[in-house]
Amino acid sequence: MDLAQSTVTLILIFSFAMIAISLVIGVLASRRVKSDNDYFGASGLFGPVTVGLASTAGVASAFAIVGVPGVIYDTGSPMAWWMLSSGAFALGYMILGKKIRAIAEVRPIASLGDLSDARFNNNKVIKTLMSIVVSIACIGYLASQISAGSALFSHLLGVEPIVAGLIIFGLLTVYTIIAGEVGGLMTQAFQGFIMVFASVIMIILFFRMTGGFSTVAASVAEAGTVTGTNGVTKELGPKFLSAWGSMKGSMSFVWMFVPFFGVIAQPAVLARMYAIKDPRELPKAAFVSGIAHMFVAFLAVTVAYGVLHMVATGEVQPLEHPDTAVYVFADKAGVFAQLMVYAAVLAASMSSASAYLTTTSTLLSRDLPRALSINIDPKNQRKVTRVFMAIMGLVAIVVSIYNTSLVGILGAFGYGTLVSAMFPVFLVGILWERATEKGVIAGLAVSFLLTLVTLTPFQWPGGLPGYFHVTCISLALTIFVSLLTPKQSIPEDIKLAMKL
């Protein structure tokens, strides 16, 4: 990506203007923080448009804009099914939204730990295990966002990735520390708008530049093996466009399964369900988030196929690294497209980073200590959490810089691990009254232990990623143990909320 200096200057001005606006929004948002519930959960404070855009920004991250095009370019069509996960927002709000928002009406809910307490009678083991596993997943997902943003600005500024990460995400950490979840949610809504606007522009450019998917499919199918003057070879052809692409069918199925169901299990989605001011506006929030995500998802798909078309026709050399696909497409589309894409990548990285930074720090500094009976003076709770935010921000920056995985693969680890930890507690637990504390503990304990295994070189059978096995095992065990253990009483107010 060799850009003219004038283009680099424009991109930097545009990008830093967006960072400055985000910083201002985050600082101004601190005025809305009146209580711990506001700081940690932004409970009942925002309308459907803000909540919907923030939900999209939290989920459709650099994993979407950088990682997904990279995976499609690398392996073919299967990851394109990821676009269907836009419908998961409506599904999530439909099956969980009313219940979670109703629980927030009858109990003080400011975090995922509070939600767990309300459903499972303040069970400390559940809260401990959930806090640990979700934090591990969030660090992986957070690192994937920082990796994408740091690589981008390392290239533009001509500095080491660690320096770029400290500059960009250091500023993000500052405004998140100041305003907590309120500031995070408001800046995410702004960044979500930037992502949607950029997506619309890039989708239009895709059709203008390529002539549409029929032209792209024909060129890729006919290309066969393409070897560039850079010495890189790309295998194309009809098989590459099949439902399985260059992967095994079982692995391709995972790429379809995990993103769709993973959306429902995202903290950035669940937490927004109790952030909405009026419960009657939940359908509007679902609509806004689903439509916004659809545009961002379609951007990822069109960019990937656009680059494949360019490689097939010889317009660009086969890529040395798949994660550069979105930048290669933007560079060919012109300066305006470059401004849009670089701004979208930055917005995606920052929005998800702030969402998972607040989630992780709240779990580790507030929910986990309470579960372990460690009493922190309420007057000092925000200070402790702010320290954790600073520490977690630094840890995630370091992890992201020294991890060599593709952005999409690193993001998928966090995505999949969140599913294995969140489903037993919040999906099974809230949708199924028969779920018992022992059943959920069994599912979470296995999720925790097997998640540690996925971090080792251990090879799971079938060539499937570890988090897929972990999710299936933890869900099955949660249900099985719940059926074997006595049914437990649920507080009447929580039971009524669950029946909505």
Side-chain angles (χ1 to χ4, degrees):
M1 297 183 295
D2 296 322
L3 303 179
Q5 186 57 48
S6 58
T7 302
V8 172
T9 302
L10 276 175
I11 292 171
L12 288 174
I13 292 173
F14 196 73
S15 299
F16 278 104
M18 195 181 73
I19 294 172
I21 293 172
S22 297
L23 181 62
V24 170
I25 291 173
V27 172
L28 293 178
S30 62
R31 300 177 182 179
R32 301 191 64 169
V33 178
K34 307 298 182 184
S35 66
D36 281 353
N37 270 19
D38 296 342
Y39 186 83
F40 294 108
S43 303
L45 289 180
F46 295 101
V49 174
T50 302
V51 168
L53 287 173
S55 294
T56 293
V59 174
S61 52
F63 167 72
I65 296 180
V66 177
V68 172
V71 173
I72 294 175
Y73 175 86
D74 193 38
T75 63
S77 300
M79 194 57 173
W81 290 99
W82 170 80
M83 184 178 171
L84 298 180
S85 62
S86 301
F89 287 92
L91 178 62
Y93 275 87
M94 187 185 301
I95 65 177
L96 287 176
K98 290 188 294 184
K99 303 175 190 297
I100 290 178
R101 186 61 183 82
I103 291 174
E105 283 289 307
V106 298
R107 299 292 177 89
I109 303 295
S111 68
L112 297 176
D114 292 342
L115 198 56
S116 171
D117 281 346
R119 170 60 180 89
F120 293 107
N121 302 304
N122 299 303
N123 188 296
K124 294 184 177 181
V125 178
I126 291 177
K127 195 173 184 177
T128 298
L129 289 171
M130 187 270 294
S131 298
I132 293 172
V133 180
V134 172
S135 294
I136 292 173
C138 284
I139 291 172
Y141 204 70
L142 175 58
S144 73
Q145 312 315 306
I146 296 176
S147 177
S150 299
L152 166 63
F153 278 87
S154 169
H155 170 75
L156 291 177
L157 294 171
V159 298
E160 290 297 317
I162 188 70
V163 176
L166 288 170
I167 293 172
I168 305 302
F169 295 97
L171 288 172
L172 176 146
T173 302
V174 168
Y175 71 66
T176 306
I177 286 174
I178 293 172
E181 183 68 351
V182 170
L185 196 147
M186 291 182 68
T187 55
Q188 289 155 30
F190 164 69
Q191 291 153 0
F193 172 78
I194 295 294
M195 292 162 64
V196 171
F197 181 76
S199 297
V200 172
I201 299 300
M202 295 305 295
I203 291 167
I204 293 171
L205 288 174
F206 163 80
F207 284 100
R208 289 184 59 185
M209 292 168 63
T210 66
F213 283 100
S214 59
T215 303
V216 171
S219 63
V220 173
E222 295 169 1
T225 301
V226 180
T227 301
T229 56
N230 58 358
V232 179
T233 297
K234 180 65 181 173
E235 296 288 342
L236 298 175
K239 184 181 177 181
F240 193 76
L241 296 174
S242 70
W244 307 135
S246 63
M247 295 187 291
K248 295 180 180 179
S250 55
M251 186 62 189
S252 297
F253 175 75
V254 172
W255 281 125
M256 302 175 204
F257 172 85
V258 171
F260 188 89
F261 289 97
V263 165
I264 304 173
Q266 293 298 306
V269 175
L270 293 175
R272 301 299 174 258
M273 292 175 181
Y274 53 77
I276 195 161
K277 185 182 300 183
D278 187 345
R280 291 170 295 187
E281 293 194 312
L282 280 167
K284 295 179 183 178
F287 178 79
V288 171
S289 57
I291 295 298
H293 188 273
M294 179 190 72
F295 281 111
V296 179
F298 197 41
L299 160 70
V301 173
T302 54
V303 162
Y305 281 102
V307 173
L308 286 169
H309 172 71
M310 293 175 185
V311 171
T313 57
E315 191 173 347
V316 300
Q317 298 290 315
L319 308 187
E320 295 183 11
H321 198 290
D323 278 345
T324 61
V326 66
Y327 304 121
V328 170
F329 183 86
D331 292 350
K332 283 293 180 180
V335 175
F336 184 62
Q338 290 170 329
L339 291 176
M340 291 295 99
V341 162
Y342 283 83
V345 172
L346 178 61
S349 301
M350 292 182 68
S351 59
S352 290
S354 64
Y356 289 92
L357 181 61
T358 55
T359 297
T360 308
S361 57
T362 299
L363 285 168
L364 294 179
S365 68
R366 182 178 182 271
D367 293 339
L368 185 59
R370 291 183 179 184
L372 298 175
S373 299
I374 299 174
N375 297 317
I376 298 176
D377 189 334
K379 296 180 181 178
N380 296 323
Q381 182 63 72
R382 290 190 212 176
K383 294 179 182 178
V384 173
T385 301
R386 284 168 172 152
V387 171
F388 267 84
M389 282 186 187
I391 294 172
M392 295 312 302
L394 182 60
V395 167
I397 290 171
V398 173
V399 169
S400 72
I401 300 307
Y402 297 104
N403 189 295
T404 58
S405 300
L406 290 178
V407 171
I409 302 302
L410 186 60
F413 163 76
Y415 219 82
T417 305
L418 280 172
V419 174
S420 71
M422 304 284 273
F423 267 27
V425 183
F426 300 111
L427 194 74
V428 177
I430 291 178
L431 293 180
W432 190 37
E433 289 185 20
R434 187 65 180 78
T436 65
E437 293 172 28
K438 291 181 179 178
V440 173
I441 289 172
L444 280 173
V446 168
S447 174
F448 172 60
L449 294 174
L450 294 184
T451 293
L452 296 181
V453 173
T454 64
L455 297 175
T456 71
F458 175 76
Q459 294 294 314
W460 292 84
L464 297 176
Y467 53 77
F468 185 79
H469 291 275
V470 176
T471 299
C472 294
I473 294 170
S474 65
L475 273 176
L477 197 60
T478 299
I479 295 170
F480 183 69
V481 174
S482 292
L483 291 172
L484 291 181
T485 52
K487 186 176 181 179
Q488 293 178 307
S489 62
I490 302 174
E492 194 60 32
D493 55 351
I494 301 299
K495 184 182 291 187
L496 290 173
M498 290 172 60
K499 288 182 177 178
L500 287 175

